[in-house]
Each structure stands twice: as C-alpha cells, then as structure tokens.
Amino acid sequence: MWEAVGHFFTSLFSPENPLWLYCPLCAVVAVVYKATKFDEPKQIALAALHFFISVTLGVLVLGFILYAVSKVL
Amino acid sequence: MSPQGTQYRSPVMALVLGWVIPGAGHAYAGRWGKAVLFAVLIIGLLVAGFALGGGTNIQPNEWWFGAQLGAGGPLLALTPISQYLMVHGEPDYADPVREMGTLYTAIAGLLNLLVMMDAYVKLAYPSIEGPGKGRDASRAIPERAREGA
C-alpha cells in the first residue's frame, strides 16, 4: 500500500511529467471563478484558496484511485 | 470595485466588449479592478498556453478551437501566427507539454465566457447580490416581491 503511494507521488513529480502545470491552471480558474462571485479582494483570495485546495485534493484522490485500479487490472 | 455613476449601460454591449477584449465588459460596467484582474489572468493564460504549445496549438480545424474561441480578440490575433508556425514548423503532437498548452488556451476561452456572462448579469440584473454581500444570489428576493410583502 505505502509502496504504491510512494510510487504514485514519485511519478507525479518526475521531470518528464508536466502535471505540475496543473497548479497555475487551477489557481487561475479559482481566482477568476471566485472573482465573479465576490467583490472584496480578501473574500476573493480566501474563497479562491479554499477552491484551489479542495479541487487539488479531489484530483489527487481521484488520481490515486485510478492509479490503484490500473495496477490491480 | 463597485459600478460608478448611474447612467444606463447596455448588458449586450458589455457581453460583446467582454468577448473582444477579456475584462472589457467589466470596464464598461465601471468595475475597473475586476476588469484588470480578468484581463491579466485570461490573456496571460491564453498566451502561456500558446507558448507551451510552441505556438502551434490554435488551429481552427481542431475541436479545441470551439472552446478557445471564447477568448475572442486575443485568440483571433494569435490564430494566424499559429497557422504560420504550423506550416513552417514541425509540431510534436505526442508532447504532453503541448497538450497542456492546448488545455490552457481552451480553459482561457471557457473562463472568458463565464466572465462575459458575469458582466452581462451584473448590468441586466443589478438588484441581485452575490454571496459576497452576505446573501446567496440564488436566494435573492426580486424587488417587486419585496415591495408586495
């Protein structure tokens, strides 16, 4: 189990994997989306941070589930 | 970042301006702070995606173009450059960074559609307040219903 988790994160941050480019993309989506909902800069920043963390955690969990399924099948 | 003045501003004009230049719809509505924020983020995302794709990932004959088209004016300016580079270069379709660049440009287009709709709604329905004003927009009570109560 822990070996699979380690391999998952190693492959995620390997130099040939461009998945790190997901981070700026998600950050821009979070700020633009929340800026359409809120007016105050502080509210926008907090809501965008919450959105970014939620989506990133969700994508990581989904990615790990798909990775585990691909290893089992 | 609140609207300035009381003169009438057309929601359709905000929609069109927002397509021509991302953020211009909000500038037209008097929301200059948001206009600059949206322009920087959306044009920046589009240009970053264009650069990541080696300048060859904006092609009108690809399905992605439907989403990219939302970015409006800047996209139309980059399209002939992309077509020129496509003819005079050799794009690597298997390159995952190029794919990521294409995704950036498509998301920039879709985000601009959201921003255009926001500018339209803020002018067409000014009485609706968002959650930032302490109330969920979907639960906003129309003026007429409030007066009748």
Side-chain angles (χ1 to χ4, degrees):
Chain A
M1 167 69 181
W2 292 113
E3 192 182 338
V5 173
H7 189 257
F8 173 71
F9 279 103
T10 308
S11 62
L12 206 61
F13 294 107
S14 64
E16 65 270 15
N17 199 337
L19 282 178
W20 65 269
L21 287 169
Y22 153 84
C23 290
L25 179 64
C26 185
V28 170
V29 171
V31 173
V32 171
Y33 178 60
K34 289 301 174 184
T36 63
K37 299 268 178 195
F38 295 96
D39 283 334
E40 298 302 320
K42 192 180 173 185
Q43 285 178 316
I44 294 170
L46 285 174
L49 185 66
H50 184 259
F51 182 95
F52 178 82
I53 292 170
S54 307
V55 172
T56 302
L57 286 177
V59 166
L60 280 176
V61 169
L62 190 64
F64 182 71
I65 290 170
L66 291 174
Y67 175 80
V69 168
S70 75
K71 287 291 167 188
V72 169
L73 293 178
Chain B
M1 287 196 226
S2 57
Q4 305 292 316
T6 53
Q7 73 182 75
Y8 175 74
R9 292 184 175 97
S10 164
V12 176
M13 182 62 87
L15 200 70
V16 173
L17 285 174
W19 186 77
V20 175
I21 303 170
H26 283 80
Y28 174 71
R31 296 168 180 266
W32 286 94
K34 282 194 177 183
V36 172
L37 180 74
F38 291 140
V40 168
L41 291 178
I42 291 172
I43 296 173
L45 193 64
L46 183 73
V47 171
F50 183 73
L52 284 173
T56 61
N57 52 1
I58 299 176
Q59 300 299 324
N61 58 344
E62 290 180 4
W63 285 104
W64 287 105
F65 194 73
Q68 292 166 339
L69 204 53
L75 180 95
L76 295 181
L78 290 176
T79 303
I81 301 170
S82 186
Q83 287 184 307
Y84 175 83
L85 291 171
M86 188 74 159
V87 172
H88 293 86
E90 289 182 12
D92 180 8
Y93 287 99
D95 183 8
V97 176
R98 182 183 185 275
E99 284 294 300
M100 207 63 179
T102 307
L103 185 65
Y104 269 44
T105 54
I107 297 288
L110 296 176
L111 280 178
N112 195 41
L113 292 180
L114 176 73
V115 169
M116 285 161 58
M117 288 308 297
D118 182 55
Y120 177 87
V121 168
K122 293 275 162 59
L123 285 177
Y125 308 101
S127 60
I128 296 179
E129 294 173 357
K133 298 280 171 89
R135 196 168 47 147
D136 189 337
S138 61
R139 293 179 195 164
I141 304 163
E143 289 291 336
R144 263 184 245 158
R146 242 182 287 170
E147 285 164 9

